[in-house]
């Protein structure tokens, strides 16, 4: 069972696709959001959840005060679950909340190539079998869309190598949770003109 851990939608159970996704465990999600909360990196922010699955990471951010949440999921069935879960979180929001939740049912690389939006926090939780090359393409396409103080949170198998961050991102830290590794990266500071 996957649920929202905290915030206005705390304890809300999320629908999860029967197959084809690997939901982030409550333990890992709680650790990620503890790290984000310590940086005040969620409230009022624009959040992107790539390879969203059920949308649990992005919707957790919504419940904790993110202003805009975009869930990107290529699987039609999983995108339908994201919409259902997003509507449930939206219904739980306090009156007058200016929360926007959008679901994009397309490949991550296509979304990144087409969007003009900017983001403050990005969750990337791809299937463990996603190639390092494709992940590198995703990270390169993502970098120009990030706010200067953005944070990228990438979840991979602990057996996967460190991602190729490219020229636009740099590693902040790595944290291991059993078979899961969470990588935190931020945009490379651009020199002043």
């Amino acid at each position: 069972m996957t649920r929202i851990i905290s915030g206005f939608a705390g304890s809300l159970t999320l629908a999860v696709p029967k197959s084809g996704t690997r939901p982030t465990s409550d333990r890992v999600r709680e650790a990620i959001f503890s790290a984000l909360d310590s940086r005040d990196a969620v409230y009022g922010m624009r959040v992107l959840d790539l390879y969203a699955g059920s949308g649990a990471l992005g919707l957790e951010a919504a419940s904790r005060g993110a202003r805009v949440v975009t869930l990107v999921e290529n699987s039609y069935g999983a995108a339908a679950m994201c919409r259902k879960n997003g509507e449930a979180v939206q219904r739980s929001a306090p009156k007058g909340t200016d929360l926007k939740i959008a679901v994009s049912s397309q490949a991550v690389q296509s979304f990144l190539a087409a969007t003009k939006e900017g983001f403050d926090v990005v969750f990337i939780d791809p299937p463990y079998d996603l190639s390092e090359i494709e992940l590198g393409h995703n990270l390169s396409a993502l970098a120009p869309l990030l706010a200067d103080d953005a944070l990228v949170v990438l979840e991979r198998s602990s057996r996967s190598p460190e991602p190729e961050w490219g020229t636009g991102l740099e590693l902040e830290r790595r944290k291991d949770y059993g078979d899961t590794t969470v990588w935190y990266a931020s945009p490379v500071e651009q020199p002043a003109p």
Side-chain angles (χ1 to χ4, degrees), residues 79-100:
M81 293 288 178
C82 284
R83 282 186 192 86
K84 178 181 177 183
N85 291 335
E87 290 165 2
V89 168
Q90 195 85 53
R91 282 192 304 273
S92 298
K95 297 273 188 250
T97 301
D98 190 25
L99 170 63
K100 293 176 180 54

Side-chain angles (χ1 to χ4, degrees), residues 135-144 164-167 169:
L135 178 59
H137 290 308
N138 293 168
L139 293 169
S140 292
L142 174 64
E164 293 292 328
W165 299 108
T167 58
L169 292 168

